Amino acid sequence: MNETSEALSRYHFPAADCSRIPYGMYRDAEVYELEQERIFRGKVWNYLALEAEIPNPGDFRTIAVGDTPVIVNRARDGNLHAFVNRCAHRGSIVQRQLHGNARGHICCYHQWSYNLEGELVSIPFRRGVKGVGGLDADFDPKCHSLRRLKVESLNGVIFGSFADDVEPLEEFLAPPFVAQLKRLFHAPVKVLGYQRQRIFGNWKLYSDNVRDPNHGGLLHMFQITFGIARLSSVGGATLDAEGKHNMSWTAQGKPVEESKDSGYGDTARGDMDIKLRDPSLLEYRKEFPDDRSLTIASIFPNCTFQQIGNTLAVRQFRTRSADEFEVVSTFYGYEHDDAAMTKHRLQCANLAGPAGLVSMEDGEAVELVHRAIVRDKQSHSVVEFGGKGAVKDQENLVTDVPIRGFWLHYCKLMGIQPGAEA
Ligand code: FES
Ligand SMILES: [Fe+2]
């Protein structure tokens, strides 16, 4: 366990089960700095990209792990590599394009050049001019490669880690999430497009949001009104043994019959009689062996694999500061999709993303919390739906137990002992 730092000792988690989270943990710049070292550069696997995005030798994407710029590319021999996108000379970004194909990566500042393995292969004027200037003879380019990450791929989904001693990827993911990735990536995929959204809040408010099926049937009017998922639907949440990952799911079919005395009777969310003129947006074309029509699988720390009907996407929330993050969504389908299915997936993509009919409220909810918790940093949220105590799988949607699972693992990596005396 990491030592507790001064920044962390400012905040007290009064409950050992993380059913109380001090607000300061979402607003403190020093906590954010520690997270970069202990979470994103710690013993975790971070989502990097899909292999379908870099199918050919030389293909690359520039991405981020936490807030560290990273290049992921495919080398001439077909192997995948990832390294920090920061020149070994004076620290400039090396590759400035979002994606492309290249024989290597050349820094624009003084033209140092790196190969697809991240090794420094060329330095202009290394010997100076006519023997004057340049680098000393003992300068060894081999000592100045770009910093490499470990890379593993599961069914075409690429993950990277800064920690040499991180466990193997499949162990980190744990069986339910290995199974879910194999389910979603059971066939070669094709990328359909991207969306990016800047949200002015702390990234952990978003990781809480994706682990909170309880809000799905209350905040998202479109989802409730048209029956995509209601809290009365058949569904639940699946966790790994530690609870750090979570998959919220809803089964296809009609929700439990609503009546005046159902839970929605107490809310302003009761109008179930509105109909869409074109209901094809809501149509789920069964494409997996099970009956799950909505699955939101969140992998610790900052990545979600979502299936909203036939809309398939990877969502990564990239940290920028304690007060800002960016959600990057990669929408995809399968290579074997016919034109009609691709059209359907693209139409249904209107449900997700920054202006998504289902998901546009999430960014707003995060910002509403972030703005309100600027003071009273020792006050805390209440995370008790689904019960207190040990985290375990949930067989209903009125729960926020998965949020506690995230925080228990977060505390372990950060060196926090929830419930310990202040
Ligand atoms: S900073 Fe990259 S070559 Fe000088
Ligand atoms: Fe949501």
Side-chain angles (χ1 to χ4, degrees):
M1 181 179 285
N2 288 304
E3 285 171 28
T4 300
S5 76
E6 200 188 317
L8 296 179
S9 64
R10 286 181 208 134
Y11 307 110
H12 179 225
F13 284 70
D17 62 3
C18 282
S19 55
R20 297 286 184 278
I21 301 162
Y23 291 136
M25 292 299 295
Y26 297 101
R27 297 277 324 200
D28 192 313
E30 286 181 51
V31 170
Y32 174 82
E33 288 297 313
L34 284 172
E35 288 168 351
Q36 296 301 315
E37 289 307 320
R38 297 182 179 182
I39 305 286
F40 296 103
R41 291 168 174 237
K43 285 171 76 165
V44 302
W45 284 100
N46 297 278
Y47 169 77
L48 301 184
L50 300 178
E51 287 201 45
E53 297 174 284
I54 48 172
N56 303 309
D59 285 350
F60 68 85
R61 292 197 70 78
T62 51
I63 49 163
V65 169
D67 57 14
T68 302
V70 166
I71 301 170
V72 57
N73 67 207
R74 193 181 288 278
R76 296 275 145 222
D77 60 5
N79 286 326
L80 299 164
H81 298 276
F83 26 81
V84 174
N85 190 6
R86 185 184 59 232
C87 185
H89 180 215
R90 295 252 296 285
S92 166
I93 292 268
V94 178
Q95 181 52 263
R96 291 170 297 147
Q97 305 301 319
L98 267 181
H99 60 90
N101 183 278
R103 286 166 42 189
H105 305 287
I106 302 173
C107 178
C108 73
Y109 202 169
H110 314 87
Q111 301 285 303
W112 284 27
S113 166
Y114 302 88
N115 64 18
L116 298 170
E117 281 80 21
E119 296 162 334
L120 176 60
V121 289
S122 153
I123 304 171
F125 295 98
R126 182 176 170 190
R127 303 283 176 234
V129 175
K130 295 183 181 162
V132 179
L135 292 165
D136 287 345
D138 64 355
F139 183 86
D140 184 0
K142 287 197 193 67
C143 301
H144 299 277
S145 300
L146 301 178
R147 179 173 174 181
R148 292 179 67 154
L149 279 74
K150 278 184 88 151
V151 173
E152 279 194 35
S153 173
L154 177 70
N155 281 41
V157 185
I158 312 167
F159 290 83
S161 180
F162 275 99
D164 288 332
D165 57 348
V166 67
E167 66 220 287
L169 175 62
E170 291 203 21
E171 254 173 59
F172 171 80
L173 291 173
F177 298 89
V178 171
Q180 175 66 357
L181 288 192
K182 288 184 174 173
R183 171 182 181 270
L184 291 171
F185 296 90
H186 65 275
V189 302
K190 62 178 175 191
V191 172
L192 299 178
Y194 298 91
Q195 290 180 336
R196 300 167 83 94
Q197 179 182 16
R198 194 75 64 86
I199 296 176
F200 295 94
N202 185 271
W203 69 278
K204 299 187 296 300
L205 293 172
Y206 201 79
S207 71
D208 290 349
N209 176 278
V210 295
R211 285 171 172 79
D212 168 13
N214 188 31
H215 88 275
L218 289 165
L219 175 70
H220 298 306
M221 280 292 273
F222 190 90
Q223 182 158 284
I224 307 159
T225 303
F226 300 112
I228 299 170
R230 295 177 186 157
L231 290 178
S232 45
S233 304
V234 174
T238 306
L239 310 176
D240 62 315
E242 294 169 298
K244 63 183 183 296
H245 312 310
N246 161 62
M247 180 168 65
S248 312
W249 59 273
T250 304
Q252 185 183 22
K254 295 211 176 309
V256 175
E257 201 57 42
E258 303 295 345
S259 65
K260 282 207 170 50
D261 53 3
S262 77
Y264 285 105
D266 303 331
T267 74
R269 305 302 210 206
D271 191 351
M272 313 288 182
D273 296 327
I274 302 172
K275 297 277 177 285
L276 286 177
R277 261 193 222 157
D278 178 4
S280 66
L281 182 66
L282 306 177
E283 182 194 336
Y284 173 57
R285 301 183 186 170
K286 185 172 159 61
E287 59 178 326
F288 299 107
D290 54 52
D291 61 358
R292 293 182 176 189
S293 54
L294 187 143
T295 60
I296 308 289
S298 297
I299 306 297
F300 189 94
N302 67 334
C303 176
T304 292
F305 294 86
Q306 72 185 40
Q307 170 212 352
I308 303 177
N310 298 109
T311 305
L312 305 174
V314 192
R315 238 189 294 168
Q316 191 183 33
F317 25 114
R318 296 181 186 165
T319 62
R320 295 180 66 90
S321 73
D323 303 310
E324 186 182 345
F325 62 96
E326 183 172 46
V327 182
V328 181
S329 299
T330 306
F331 290 83
Y332 66 91
Y334 299 105
E335 276 183 11
H336 64 235
D337 287 344
D338 59 18
M341 188 59 164
T342 298
K343 188 167 173 235
H344 179 59
R345 288 195 203 282
L346 288 170
Q347 183 190 15
C348 295
N350 287 299
L351 297 170
L357 294 165
V358 168
S359 62
M360 68 179 149
E361 296 93 348
D362 290 318
E364 182 66 12
V366 163
E367 292 189 3
L368 287 173
V369 177
H370 197 77
R371 292 198 328 250
I373 60 174
V374 62
R375 295 289 147 199
D376 304 314
K377 294 190 170 66
Q378 287 300 354
S379 295
H380 42 68
S381 56
V382 174
V383 192
E384 283 189 26
F385 275 95
K388 293 185 283 186
V391 298
K392 52 182 187 298
D393 287 358
Q394 302 290 296
E395 307 225 325
N396 70 89
L397 297 166
V398 193
T399 181
D400 40 34
V401 165
I403 295 175
R404 296 197 292 107
F406 170 90
W407 278 93
L408 286 166
H409 194 65
Y410 172 95
C411 286
K412 187 174 153 193
L413 295 185
M414 289 287 277
I416 298 167
Q417 267 191 300
E421 288 298 311

